[in-house]
Amino acid sequence: MKAKKKVRKKDIYCKICHNNKGMIHRYGINVCRRCFKDIAEKLGFKKYS
Ligand SMILES: [Zn+2]
């Protein structure tokens, strides 16, 4: 019997606001769109639109 834990996108929450709506799975960051805008400048994604 295998106890395999699979991480689904539904189970991934924003590490900042802990919301799972509008999640961005690119760049290996787990944040939602809102928070991404806030951290985008810090990460260097100034041209994100
Ligand atoms: Zn968020």
Side-chain angles (χ1 to χ4, degrees):
M1 188 173 174
K2 290 184 178 178
K4 201 171 186 180
K5 280 192 176 180
K6 203 169 187 179
V7 177
R8 296 180 184 177
K9 287 187 177 181
K10 280 185 178 180
D11 297 327
I12 300 177
Y13 290 81
C14 173
K15 61 186 177 183
I16 298 175
C17 69
H18 304 290
N19 196 337
N20 72 338
K21 292 181 180 179
M23 290 294 297
I24 294 176
H25 300 285
R26 290 180 181 178
Y27 316 119
I29 58 175
N30 295 324
V31 295
C32 66
R33 286 184 181 180
R34 272 191 175 184
C35 296
F36 181 78
K37 281 189 176 182
D38 291 337
I39 67 172
E41 292 184 4
K42 295 177 184 177
L43 292 177
F45 294 109
K46 292 182 179 178
K47 289 187 178 179
Y48 179 80
S49 61

